[in-house]
């Protein structure tokens, strides 16, 4: 029996696709203690440094005292903690929508919402580089799924034109693509959705707290807040907490809470997590300098890499795909980076398409100028050693 898994593992090992995990003895700060060594952390999605923010920790501590550790059951079974309701009100007001509903994770949101919205006889149109949780949501839905070429609006339109028999149509896209750091062409997506009477769903996992004047995400970035039907986002990345949300019309939210299987059949978020998320929304508003610093750091790293001739296209965000190509060389590049003082994981298939393994570097508001300078120097060495390919990912 176990020999079967051993063989599978041997195959992964041979293909340089074996995953390993590393122990970290500190918060997700600009530097972390990894196997007893202090290295610059360049692969966390804790973009604003909120995960270790004193206000989030204090909010979680006091909620823990008052409400206990766990929530006990699904909300439809044992009731809402008042913090679930407060968090949803706060998210709706943050996003400028009528209502919001929270999920236990972005993965749970996407695998719950997509099958609830698109059923047998319906059509889902999904960008080729959408996140794995969207792919799984499409697989769980009984709808026909058509995958359009990355950001290719002509392809999307031709698929919309050739599938007119579908009852309901859902277009789903990452707002910020998680592995390439480019931004979805929202104005075109909105136009196509409106023209073809399709529902538009945007996944703001990497846009929440990052894009837009107030960090409200992709729709705010493009000034199209009222034209995206389903705005999904997560609370575990820039917001430094855990969980996810969908913001939208009241009917949509009521429908989701009645039909999303990942919502119905799962114990709800612990109260302390909700309290931390609420505190994160406060900090986002009270400390706009964090987002400014994030974007300054993003420009600093982009300039540094450009000066070395390292191609960071198509990134327009704090996510930099440093394309290597083969999985074995990506792993080696990551090991060398680590030996020199940077923690940047090698990202390999199936997280990214075959042949596009890479280091995915993410910069945070909490990095110092000196840390970014060091990172650029280390990536420069790797570039001199020929690790980075000059093609485009995807
Ligand atoms: C991380 C991520 C998710 C999953 O969110 P979790 O809260 O980590 O489960 C969903 N979509 C995208 C685009 C992501 O990057």
């Amino acid at each position: 029996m176990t020999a079967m898994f051993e063989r599978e593992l041997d195959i992964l090992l041979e293909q340089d696709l074996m995953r390993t995990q590393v122990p970290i003895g500190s918060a997700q700060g600009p530097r972390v203690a990894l196997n007893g060594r202090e290295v610059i952390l360049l692969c966390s999605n804790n973009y604003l440094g909120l995960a270790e923010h004193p206000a989030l920790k204090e909010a979680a501590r006091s909620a823990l005292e008052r409400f206990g550790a766990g929530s006990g059951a699904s909300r439809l079974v044992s009731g809402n903690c008042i913090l679930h309701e407060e968090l949803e009100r706060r998210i709706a007001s943050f996003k400028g929508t009528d209502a919001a509903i929270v999920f236990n994770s972005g993965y749970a949101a996407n695998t719950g919402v997509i099958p609830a919205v698109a059923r047998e006889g319906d059509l889902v149109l999904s960008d080729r580089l959408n996140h794995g949780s969207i792919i799984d949501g499409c697989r769980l839905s009984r709808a026909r799924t058509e995958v359009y070429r990355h950001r290719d609006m002509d392809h999307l339109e031709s698929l919309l034109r050739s599938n007119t028999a579908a009852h309901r149509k859902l277009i789903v896209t990452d707002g910020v693509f998680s592995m390439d750091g480019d931004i979805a062409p929202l104005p075109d997506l909105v136009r196509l959705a409106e023209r073809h009477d399709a529902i538009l769903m945007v996944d703001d996992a990497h846009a929440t707290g990052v894009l837009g004047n107030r960090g409200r995400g992709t729709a705010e970035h493009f000034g199209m807040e009222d034209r995206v039907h389903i705005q999904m986002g997560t609370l575990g990345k820039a917001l430094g907490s855990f969980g996810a949300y969908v913001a939208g019309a009241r009917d949509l939210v009521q429908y989701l809470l009645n039909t999303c299987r990942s919502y119905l059949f799962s114990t709800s978020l612990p109260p302390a997590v909700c309290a931390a998320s609420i505190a994160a929304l406060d900090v986002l508003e009270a400390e706009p300098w964090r987002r400014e610093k994030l974007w300054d750091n993003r420009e600093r790293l982009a300039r540094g890499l450009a000066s070395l001739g390292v191609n960071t296209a198509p990134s327009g965000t704090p996510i930099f795909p440093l394309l290597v190509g083969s999985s074995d060389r990506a792993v080696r590049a990551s090991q060398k980076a680590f030996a020199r003082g940077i923690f940047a994981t090698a990202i390999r298939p199936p997280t990214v398409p075959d042949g596009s393994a890479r280091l995915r570097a993410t910069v945070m508001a909490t990095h110092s100028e000196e840390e970014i300078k060091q990172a650029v120097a280390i990536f420069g060495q790797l570039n001199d050693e020929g690790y980075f390919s000059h093609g485009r990912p995807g």
Side-chain angles (χ1 to χ4, degrees), residues 6 70 86 154 182 299 314 332 339:
E6 217 176 290
E86 185 182 342
D154 292 335
D182 51 346
E299 290 313 312
R332 222 159 339 125

Side-chain angles (χ1 to χ4, degrees), residues 105-107 110 131 133 174 178 203 205-206 232 234 237 243:
S105 69
Y107 188 87
N110 284 335
H131 191 258
S133 57
D174 281 15
S178 55
D203 175 339
H206 294 277
M232 173 272 181
T234 62
K237 290 173 179 166

